[in-house]
C-alpha cells in the first residue's frame, strides 16, 4: 500500500496587511522587510479562527479530491496556535465538516507540522489502519506575536492549508525524512500559559514568540538541503529528477540558499511568502494548493517538500503527483 495526495485546499483570512501598513504602526519599512525576507504582505485574522480557516481549507480539499466528509477516517491538524488547549483543532474541524467517522487529533511540530502530519498519516495508511486521511497545517500566528518586536512580528501571517491522502496500490509518497533537535529549541520558542496557582508565586506575563533569527537561518540552510538530498536519494532519484521544491515559506534568502546548495534553478522553488508571509505549519499545504490550482502539478511529476522550524524540527518528502 502507498499514500497518494488526491486533493488540496487552503483558506487565508480576508484582511491583507502590507509592509507599508506595518510601517505606519512600528519602526520598519517595506524596503527592509522585502529585501531581507521577500515578504510584501500577509493575511491576518479579524473574525477568522484557526478552526474556521481549517474547516474551510478542509472543505475545499475534499471537494478537490472528490471525497465526502464521511469517507475521512483520519483527521490530523499540525498547529502551534490552536484556538483551544482542548478540544483539539482537529476535533473542532471534525464537528464543523461532519467527518463523523474520523479519529481526530492535533500535532505540534511547528513549521514542520504539516509534513509530520503527512508522515503520520502515511504510517497509518500503509499499515491499513485507516484509508482516507485529511491532513492540515493551520495557524493564527498573529495572536502569539509580540507586536512590539519588529524583528519577528513582520515575518508571520495567518492561514490554513489541507490535503486529502488516500491509501492506494501505487505509491505517491516515495520517501520521507524527519528529525528533531530539542537541544536547540530555545532559538525559536513561545511559552504557554504561566502557572496561575494562587498558592504559589507566579508570573502573570503573557508569552509571545521569541526568535534568534540568525540561528534559525543557519539551521535552515544546512538542515534542509541535507534532509532533501537524503530523501531524494531514498526515493531512488537525483536532484535533477525533481520538478518542484515546495518548501516551507520562511524567507526568500533561505530558498535561494537551498537552491544554490542543491545546484538547482530557483525557478523550481515556487513561492507564496510574498503574499502570505511565514505561516508555520500552514506554509507547505497552502503553497501546494496554490500550485495545484494553477495547474502546475501534472501526473507523474516528482515534488520534493520540506518543512523546518521550531522544536527544532524538520521533515522532507518526495511525492509522485
Ligand atoms: O519558520 C522558521 C522561522 N524563521 C526563520 O526561518 C527566520 C530565519 N531568519 C531570518 O530570516 C533572518 O534572520 C531575519 C529576516 C529574521 C532577520 O534578518 P537579519 O539579516 O538576520 O537581520 P538582523 O536580525 O541581524 O537585524 C539587522 C538590523 C538590526 O539593526 P542594527 O542592530 O543593525 O541597527 C535590527 O534591529 O535590522 C534591524 N531590524 C529591522 N529594521 C527594520 C530588525 N527587524 C527590523 C524590521 N524593520 N522589521
Amino acid at each position: 500500500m502507498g499514500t497518494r495526495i488526491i486533493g488540496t485546499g487552503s483558506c487565508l483570512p480576508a484582511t491583507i496587511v502590507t509592509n507599508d501598513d506595518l510601517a505606519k504602526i512600528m519602526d520598519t519599512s517595506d524596503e527592509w522587510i522585502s529585501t531581507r525576507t521577500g515578504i510584501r504582505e500577509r493575511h491576518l485574522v479579524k473574525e477568522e479562527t484557526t478552526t474556521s480557516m481549517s474547516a474551510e481549507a478542509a472543505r475545499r480539499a475534499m471537494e478537490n479530491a472528490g471525497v465526502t466528509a464521511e469517507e475521512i477516517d483520519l483527521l490530523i491538524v499540525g498547529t502551534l496556535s490552536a484556538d483551544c488547549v482542548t478540544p483539539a483543532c482537529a476535533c473542532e474541524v471534525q464537528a464543523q465538516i461532519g467527518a463523523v467517522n474520523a479519529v481526530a487529533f492535533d500535532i505540534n511540530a511547528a513549521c514542520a507540522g504539516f509534513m509530520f502530519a503527512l508522515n503520520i498519516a502515511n504510517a497509518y495508511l500503509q499499515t491499513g489502519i485507516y484509508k482516507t486521511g485529511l491532513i492540515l497545517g493551520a495557524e493564527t500566528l498573529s495572536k502569539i506575536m509580540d507586536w512590539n518586536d519588529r524583528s519577528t512580528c513582520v515575518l508571520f501571517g495567518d492561514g490554513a492549508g489541507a490535503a486529502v491522502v488516500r491509501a492506494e496500490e501505487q505509491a505517491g509518497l516515495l520517501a520521507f525524512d524527519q528529525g528533531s533537535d530539542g537541544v536547540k529549541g530555545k532559538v525559536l520558542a513561545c511559552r504557554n500559559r504561566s502557572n496561575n496557582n494562587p498558592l504559589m508565586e507566579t508570573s502573570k506575563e503573557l508569552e509571545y514568540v521569541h526568535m534568534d533569527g540568525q540561528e534559525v537561518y543557519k539551521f535552515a540552510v544546512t538542515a534542509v538541503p541535507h534532509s532533501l538530498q537524503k530523501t531524494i536519494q531514498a526515493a531512488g532519484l537525483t536532484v535533477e529528477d525533481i520538478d518542484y521544491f515546495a518548501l516551507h515559506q520562511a524567507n526568500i534568502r533561505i530558498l535561494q540558499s537551498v537552491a544554490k546548495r542543491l545546484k538547482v534553478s530557483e525557478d523550481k522553488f515556487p513561492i507564496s511568502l510574498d503574499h502570505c508571509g511565514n505561516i508555520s505549519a500552514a506554509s507547505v499545504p497552502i503553497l501546494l494548493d496554490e500550485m495545484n490550482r494553477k495547474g502546475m502539478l501534472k501526473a507523474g511529476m516528482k515534488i520534493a517538500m520540506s518543512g523546518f522550524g521550531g522544536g527544532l524540527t524538520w521533515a522532507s518528502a518526495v511525492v509522485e503527483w
Side-chain angles (χ1 to χ4, degrees):
M1 270 296 158
T3 299
R4 186 168 285 278
I5 297 175
I6 60 166
T8 62
S10 61
C11 175
L12 292 169
T15 308
I16 295 173
V17 175
T18 65
N19 293 345
D20 285 334
D21 292 331
L22 292 178
K24 288 180 195 143
I25 58 163
M26 65 185 77
D27 181 15
T28 191
S29 64
D30 175 50
E31 202 269 331
W32 191 95
I33 302 170
S34 54
T35 53
R36 298 268 171 152
T37 69
I39 299 165
R40 298 194 171 277
E41 58 190 36
R42 71 288 292 140
H43 294 244
L44 300 182
V45 298
K46 235 182 198 171
E47 305 297 329
E48 302 91 343
T49 64
T50 305
T51 296
S52 72
M53 293 186 291
S54 298
E56 189 52 35
R59 286 186 201 101
R60 292 173 187 172
M62 290 189 299
E63 191 185 358
N64 185 243
V67 304
T68 63
E70 290 78 11
E71 287 174 76
I72 305 294
D73 50 13
L74 174 67
L75 201 173
I76 311 174
V77 180
T79 183
L80 55 80
S81 52
D83 301 320
C84 307
V85 176
T86 191
C89 179
C91 294
E92 294 197 312
V93 172
Q94 173 186 33
Q96 289 203 7
I97 67 173
V100 290
N101 298 312
V103 59
F105 57 92
D106 291 354
I107 56 127
N108 179 349
C111 307
F114 174 81
M115 299 302 298
F116 272 50
L118 175 61
N119 198 26
I120 294 166
N122 178 46
Y124 275 123
L125 265 49
Q126 284 207 5
T127 48
I129 297 173
Y130 300 114
K131 290 193 168 42
T132 309
L134 176 59
I135 51 170
L136 293 104
E139 307 286 8
T140 308
L141 299 173
S142 56
K143 69 187 176 191
I144 53 169
M145 282 303 127
D146 179 351
W147 288 95
N148 293 311
D149 176 6
R150 66 178 182 170
S151 68
T152 52
C153 69
V154 303
L155 306 174
F156 295 92
D158 301 330
V164 177
V165 287
R166 183 166 258 174
E168 289 189 357
E169 285 301 328
Q170 196 194 353
L173 185 58
L174 304 178
F176 214 98
D177 175 56
Q178 267 179 299
S180 313
D181 183 359
V183 173
K184 297 206 185 99
K186 285 201 172 72
V187 302
L188 175 46
C190 178
R191 293 191 60 78
N192 207 331
R193 286 183 185 193
S194 310
N195 177 9
N196 65 350
N197 180 342
L199 298 171
M200 312 297 169
E201 277 184 33
T202 57
S203 152
K204 293 274 182 283
E205 274 185 35
L206 288 173
E207 305 287 353
Y208 297 106
V209 169
H210 297 282
M211 180 172 72
D212 181 338
Q214 289 180 2
E215 281 304 314
V216 179
Y217 189 92
K218 278 189 243 162
F219 151 71
V221 298
T222 46
V224 176
H226 180 252
S227 174
L228 280 167
Q229 264 162 338
K230 204 169 146 186
T231 315
I232 292 165
Q233 197 175 13
L237 301 171
T238 65
V239 168
E240 291 73 38
D241 295 322
I242 302 299
D243 294 287
Y244 287 114
F245 293 81
L247 266 50
H248 171 48
Q249 302 283 297
N251 185 321
I252 189 79
R253 291 185 298 155
I254 293 177
L255 302 181
Q256 289 165 341
S257 170
V258 174
K260 201 169 164 195
R261 282 179 197 233
L262 294 179
K263 299 189 177 66
V264 175
S265 162
E266 285 172 30
D267 296 345
K268 286 192 171 185
F269 288 68
I271 60 161
S272 60
L273 61 81
D274 56 337
H275 59 279
C276 290
N278 177 346
I279 323 181
S280 190
S283 281
V284 172
I286 289 172
L287 179 67
L288 204 59
D289 185 48
E290 289 188 358
M291 293 167 69
N292 190 17
R293 284 171 200 269
K294 282 180 192 158
M296 291 166 67
L297 301 173
K298 315 266 184 242
M301 273 187 169
K302 311 288 188 301
I303 317 297
M305 301 189 278
S306 193
F308 51 91
L312 297 172
T313 55
W314 62 93
S316 305
V318 173
V319 299
E320 183 173 313
W321 199 254

